[in-house]
């Protein structure tokens, strides 16, 4: 008893002593990386990339970097950066994790280096006194399989992005850093880029330029290649896994020629000296759609030319990326422009950058005949329908979706319909269609969004710098074309929560969204390309031919039945699953038949009864105007 009391007293005394827990203070973060200054870099970087290791998918880099006082940290070490914030990606997606074997030398002596403790993309290199230049060597280990990232090197073609295979000195605007680059490709291959080059066998020596322009001038190279001039200043560079995919018919190529013509007629200027479409048709190299000022990276699946009738969805890619030469590269949101690839980008104007590009991509596809008018109308219907069931509208304004590239960096998301990611693309299209309809209405047909395009993008012909703008500049330009309360309209469209999708523009331009039991050819082509059945507008799922569920619409009949993304549908009303059997069950449910699905997730089996009797529903547009409507005039060739 005595010992117990003594122990209790001791614990009470200890508790009193420890009444206040330890409270540390954080170590301050000291910025040691020089800020970018708009002043010329004293010297020219020299970059060599060996892109011949097709067995291991490794790019080997040797780079010579003149030493500059403005690139040194407070300790006198030189700071070199790997690009982090990438234009076109709108996010910090630099692949620093794939850099390996980094070594710095000067005069044959290895130099010590340390990674910055805060910015993992920065390296502090100890440079001895008197050293004029240092040499950096490293490997970029590009993915060998899709689960590691985008595959950019295959036995038949490759995509060299200079931002992945180079470092640049801190302390300077990237446009002020001169650089000379050369690359070695496999023997017998051809390379294409927006940056001119001279060829010496397998080595391409690129024109001396600045680092910003180099990063904006990626390369496609391959063994199977065809070059098609589209205009005196625009070329289509086609690469493929084999020669069969290069076999384009004359009328198919003629549509691409008209694309170059229609873009210039629409915007009224060209913001490039020459423009190179880098276009890959491949099952092995991963697809891409990435804009640059004098080129674009474009990748589609096989069949673009050889299965023309069903490649319609893929033919929106080139018009979209071409439009970016005007919108996004030349005219750029002021908060999106940065002096280097370390400064964070702010995406508030992506509804213009991407939204209006999405708008013009479809318009130019129709005007050129690259996509038929009917397929364009059917594509619009699919867009309108998808946004009208976007459940995330209840909590997330359109303006906030411009932050999505930074938030998610396009990683897979479990409930996209509730999260509402990146709607600034397609809902931006709807907003600009509404702008067009109001311009036509208020001006009694004398003005349209074409007038905005020429006023906003069609200035300073031949200039391929960056002309930045703010929200107020967009409003001001619209008011010079047709007075209206554009500030109120655009603010409401950007910041409203809970409002239905803004379909008014199509309705004002003479078309409305309806649903029928038969999908349009465009919708079928999309299902074929995706290898799925899109039943979003009936039971609320997208399901692969294998039964795997890839999408569940929030609060839809399937959602209420407990079906999740990732479930596998094993049976339909007691019979083995097939897409046709599921569609037949949805149709039969109109007359009271059940829809009972057997699902599997891992080892768990479940029976899901879907309460729905509305039949199959597929979106399409119905014309409501008599004669030629505003949308008809918008899609007509210039």
């Amino acid at each position: 008893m005595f010992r117990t009391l003594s122990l209790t007293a001791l614990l009470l005394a200890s508790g009193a002593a420890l009444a206040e827990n330890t409270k540390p203070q954080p170590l301050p973060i000291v910025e040691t990386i020089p800020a970018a200054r708009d002043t010329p870099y004293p010297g020219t970087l020299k970059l060599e990339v060996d892109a011949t290791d097709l067995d291991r998918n490794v790019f080997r880099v040797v780079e010579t970097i003149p030493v500059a006082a403005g690139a040194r940290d407070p300790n006198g070490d030189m700071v070199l950066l790997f690009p982090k914030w990438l234009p076109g990606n709108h996010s910090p997606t630099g692949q620093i994790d794939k850099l390996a074997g980094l070594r710095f030398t000067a005069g044959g002596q290895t130099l010590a280096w340390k990674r910055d403790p805060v910015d993992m993309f920065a390296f502090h290199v100890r440079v001895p006194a008197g050293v004029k230049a240092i040499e950096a060597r490293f490997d970029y280990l590009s993915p060998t399989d899709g689960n590691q990232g985008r595959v950019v090197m295959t036995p038949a073609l490759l995509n060299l992005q200079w931002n992945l295979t180079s470092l640049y000195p801190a302390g300077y605007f990237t446009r002020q850093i001169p650089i000379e680059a050369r690359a070695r490709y496999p023997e017998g291959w051809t390379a294409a880029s927006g940056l001119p080059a001279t060829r010496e066998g397998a080595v391409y020596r690129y024109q001396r330029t600045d680092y910003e322009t180099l990063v904006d001038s990626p390369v496609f190279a391959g063994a199977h290649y065809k070059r098609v001039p589209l205009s005196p200043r625009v070329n289509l560079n086609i690469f493929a896994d084999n020669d069969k995919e290069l076999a384009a018919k004359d009328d198919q190529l003629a549509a691409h020629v008209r694309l170059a013509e229609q873009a210039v007629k629409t915007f009224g200027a060209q913001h490039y000296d020459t423009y190179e479409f880098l276009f890959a048709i491949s099952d092995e190299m991963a697809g891409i759609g990435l804009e640059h000022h004098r080129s674009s990276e474009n990748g589609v699946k096989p069949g673009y030319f050889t299965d023309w009738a069903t490649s319609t969805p893929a033919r929106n890619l080139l018009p979209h990326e071409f439009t970016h030469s005007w919108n996004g590269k030349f005219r750029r949101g002021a908060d999106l422009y940065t002096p280097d690839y370390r400064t964070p980008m702010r995406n508030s104007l992506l509804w213009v950058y991407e939204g209006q590009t999405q708008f013009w991509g479809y318009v130019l596809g129709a005007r050129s005949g690259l996509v038929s008018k009917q397929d364009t109308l059917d594509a619009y219907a699919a867009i309108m329908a998808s946004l009208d069931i976007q459940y995330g509208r209840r909590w997330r304004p359109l303006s906030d979706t411009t932050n999505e590239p930074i938030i998610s960096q396009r990683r897979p998301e479990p409930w996209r319909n509730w999260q509402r990611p990146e709607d600034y693309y397609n809902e931006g299209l709807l907003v600009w269609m509404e702008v067009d309809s109001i311009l036509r209405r208020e001006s009694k047909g004398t003005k349209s969004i074409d007038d905005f395009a020429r006023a906003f993008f069609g200035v300073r012909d031949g200039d391929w710098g960056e002309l930045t703008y703010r929200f107020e500049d967009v409003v001001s330009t619209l008011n010079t074309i047709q007075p209206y309360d554009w500030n109120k309209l655009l603010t409401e469209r950007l910041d409203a929560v809970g409002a239905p999708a803004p379909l008014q523009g199509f309705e004002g331009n003479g078309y409305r969204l309806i649903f029928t039991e038969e999908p349009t050819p465009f919708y079928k082509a999309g299902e074929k390309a995706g290898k799925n059945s899109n039943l979003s507008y009936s039971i609320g799922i997208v399901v692969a031919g294998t039964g795997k569920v890839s999408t569940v619409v929030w609060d839809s009949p399937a959602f209420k039945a407990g079906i999740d993304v990732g479930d596998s549908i094993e049976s339909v009303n007691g019979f083995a699953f097939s897409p046709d059997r599921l569609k037949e069950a949805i149709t039969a449910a109109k007359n009271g038949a059940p829809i009972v699905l057997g699902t599997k997730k891992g080892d768990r089996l479940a029976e899901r009864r879907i309460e729905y009797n509305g039949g199959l529903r597929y979106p399409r547009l119905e014309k409501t105007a008599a004669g030629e409507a505003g949308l008809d005039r918008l899609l007509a060739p210039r």
Side-chain angles (χ1 to χ4, degrees):
M1 183 66 177
F2 175 79
R3 293 180 61 191
T4 302
L5 288 172
S6 298
L7 179 59
T8 301
L10 180 62
L11 289 174
L12 288 171
S14 300
L18 297 177
E20 182 154 342
N21 293 326
T22 304
K23 296 179 180 179
Q25 294 296 312
L27 286 174
I29 292 177
V30 179
E31 179 62 82
T32 60
I33 300 173
R37 295 172 295 121
D38 195 6
T39 187
Y41 190 79
T44 300
L45 281 62
K46 296 185 184 298
L47 175 66
E48 299 179 25
V49 178
D50 187 324
T52 61
D53 193 346
L54 304 181
D55 292 327
R56 301 171 189 82
N57 292 16
V58 175
F59 293 84
R60 293 189 166 82
V61 178
V62 180
E63 186 173 8
T64 302
I65 305 166
V67 174
R72 292 181 182 268
D73 66 16
N75 294 321
D77 295 341
M78 189 163 177
V79 182
L80 299 175
L81 305 172
F82 187 84
K84 179 179 183 179
W85 285 83
L86 301 179
N89 291 357
H90 319 308
S91 61
T93 50
Q95 298 178 47
I96 190 71
D97 56 309
K98 296 180 177 64
L99 181 152
L102 182 62
R103 182 169 178 256
F104 297 103
T105 61
Q109 176 186 353
T110 298
L111 306 181
W113 63 269
K114 286 187 176 181
R115 196 184 299 265
D116 190 85
V118 176
D119 187 342
M120 301 293 106
F121 289 70
F123 303 92
H124 298 256
V125 184
R126 180 60 51 88
V127 180
V131 169
K132 302 297 184 184
I134 62 176
E135 183 180 89
R137 290 177 178 263
F138 66 89
D139 294 339
Y140 173 67
L141 310 179
S142 78
T144 57
D145 188 79
N147 62 9
Q148 303 160 14
R150 177 174 170 259
V151 174
V152 298
M153 184 181 278
T154 79
L157 50 90
L158 64 82
N159 178 192
L160 168 59
Q161 295 177 323
W162 301 107
N163 53 281
L164 300 174
T165 57
S166 62
L167 303 172
Y168 69 98
Y172 297 83
F173 279 30
T174 52
R175 68 187 180 202
Q176 294 277 20
I177 303 173
I179 188 166
E180 295 175 357
R182 67 177 182 175
R184 179 180 293 276
Y185 304 106
E187 293 290 337
W189 283 29
T190 303
S193 170
L195 185 64
T198 58
R199 181 176 184 175
E200 301 171 7
V203 176
Y204 283 67
R205 296 180 182 273
Y206 291 90
Q207 183 182 83
R208 184 177 184 272
T209 189
D210 59 82
Y211 189 70
E212 180 178 277
T213 300
L214 180 72
V215 169
D216 198 43
S217 306
V219 179
F220 276 17
H224 308 280
Y225 171 71
K226 182 177 182 178
R227 180 182 176 89
V228 181
L230 303 183
S231 81
R233 293 167 64 178
V234 180
N235 299 292
L236 178 62
N237 300 276
I238 311 170
F239 296 85
D241 293 334
N242 52 64
D243 286 339
K244 174 188 172 184
E245 292 295 333
L246 302 177
K249 295 179 180 178
D250 289 345
D251 60 332
Q252 295 169 347
L253 294 178
H256 292 79
V257 170
R258 292 192 297 271
L259 171 61
E261 295 171 347
Q262 288 295 317
V264 175
K265 287 182 177 180
T266 295
F267 299 118
Q270 295 178 83
H271 298 296
Y272 45 78
D273 47 359
T274 59
Y275 186 94
E276 306 292 335
F277 282 107
L278 309 179
F279 186 46
I281 306 172
S282 177
D283 246 342
E284 298 184 83
M285 190 171 85
I288 189 173
L290 188 59
E291 66 272 13
H292 303 281
H293 222 132
R294 299 188 292 168
S295 65
S296 56
E297 297 168 272
N298 308 274
V300 299
K301 290 292 186 182
Y304 182 87
F305 292 118
T306 59
D307 192 9
W308 188 255
T310 57
S311 70
T312 309
R315 298 204 294 274
N316 176 250
L317 178 61
L318 296 183
H320 180 100
E321 300 305 336
F322 194 28
T323 297
H324 271 312
S325 182
W326 290 267
N327 183 19
K329 303 307 291 185
F330 174 59
R331 296 308 310 263
R332 192 176 308 180
D335 59 357
L336 197 57
Y337 171 77
T338 58
D340 60 9
Y341 305 116
R342 180 173 180 256
T343 305
M345 296 174 182
R346 291 158 290 173
N347 294 342
S348 69
L349 288 159
L350 284 185
W351 60 277
V352 183
Y353 182 122
E354 294 290 4
Q356 194 168 149
T357 296
Q358 192 80 328
F359 175 91
W360 287 117
Y362 283 98
V363 170
L364 291 176
R367 288 183 180 181
S368 65
L370 195 57
V371 179
S372 72
K373 178 183 175 182
Q374 186 57 56
D375 283 333
T376 302
L377 295 175
D378 293 342
Y380 284 147
I383 289 170
M384 295 162 70
S386 68
L387 289 165
D388 211 33
I389 62 166
Q390 191 74 294
Y391 211 78
R393 319 178 63 80
R394 298 193 175 194
W395 70 273
R396 191 175 195 182
L398 177 62
S399 59
D400 189 58
T401 70
T402 64
N403 298 311
E404 189 66 18
I406 300 170
I407 294 169
S408 72
Q409 297 180 25
R410 294 177 177 169
R411 291 183 291 265
E413 296 175 306
W415 296 100
R416 291 178 62 84
N417 184 257
W418 182 221
Q419 291 165 281
R420 197 187 185 193
E422 297 197 60
D423 275 3
Y424 56 84
Y425 275 92
N426 280 334
E427 189 152 328
L429 182 158
L430 299 189
V431 170
W432 288 107
M433 185 64 72
E434 185 174 10
V435 168
D436 179 64
S437 71
I438 293 171
L439 285 170
R440 293 177 190 276
R441 183 191 72 210
E442 295 295 309
S443 70
K444 296 180 171 53
T446 64
K447 301 293 182 180
S448 73
I449 198 167
D450 281 81
D451 296 282
F452 176 86
R454 286 187 290 274
F456 202 69
F457 304 117
V459 296
R460 300 181 63 87
D461 187 30
D463 183 350
W464 42 280
E466 296 87 20
L467 181 59
T468 61
Y469 63 88
R470 300 174 182 269
F471 177 87
E472 294 78 11
D473 299 314
V474 176
V475 171
S476 174
T477 303
L478 285 168
N479 272 315
T480 63
I481 297 164
Q482 177 61 50
Y484 187 75
D485 196 345
W486 298 109
N487 183 81
K488 179 182 178 183
L489 174 78
L490 296 176
T491 300
E492 287 177 349
R493 295 293 174 263
L494 289 170
D495 296 337
V497 174
L503 309 184
Q504 300 93 319
F506 284 90
E507 294 163 0
N509 271 339
Y511 285 81
R512 69 174 180 177
L513 177 67
I514 64 169
F515 292 87
T516 62
E517 292 187 342
E518 181 64 26
T520 64
F522 180 87
Y523 199 94
K524 289 179 181 178
E527 289 185 318
K528 181 178 179 180
K531 299 179 180 178
N532 60 39
S533 296
N534 187 346
L535 303 169
S536 297
Y537 312 106
S538 54
I539 62 173
I541 62 170
V542 178
V543 58
T546 60
K548 187 83 168 181
V549 176
S550 60
T551 300
V552 178
V553 176
W554 194 269
D555 207 38
S556 66
F559 175 92
K560 292 174 180 176
I563 295 177
D564 293 337
V565 174
D567 282 358
S568 178
I569 301 176
E570 303 289 309
S571 64
V572 180
N573 292 337
F575 292 91
F577 168 82
S578 74
D580 286 342
R581 185 164 282 147
L582 178 56
K583 292 174 185 177
E584 290 166 1
I586 294 171
T587 298
K590 292 172 63 178
N591 296 318
I595 306 176
V596 181
L597 306 182
T599 65
K600 181 179 180 182
K601 177 175 284 187
D603 292 332
R604 297 177 182 272
L605 302 176
E607 183 178 277
R608 308 292 187 185
R609 180 177 292 271
I610 297 181
E611 301 297 333
Y612 176 76
N613 59 12
L616 294 169
R617 299 176 76 246
Y618 298 102
R620 66 175 68 229
L621 287 185
E622 178 181 72
K623 189 170 183 178
T624 58
E628 188 180 48
L631 186 53
D632 299 322
R633 290 189 287 274
L634 177 67
L635 300 181
R638 293 306 182 254

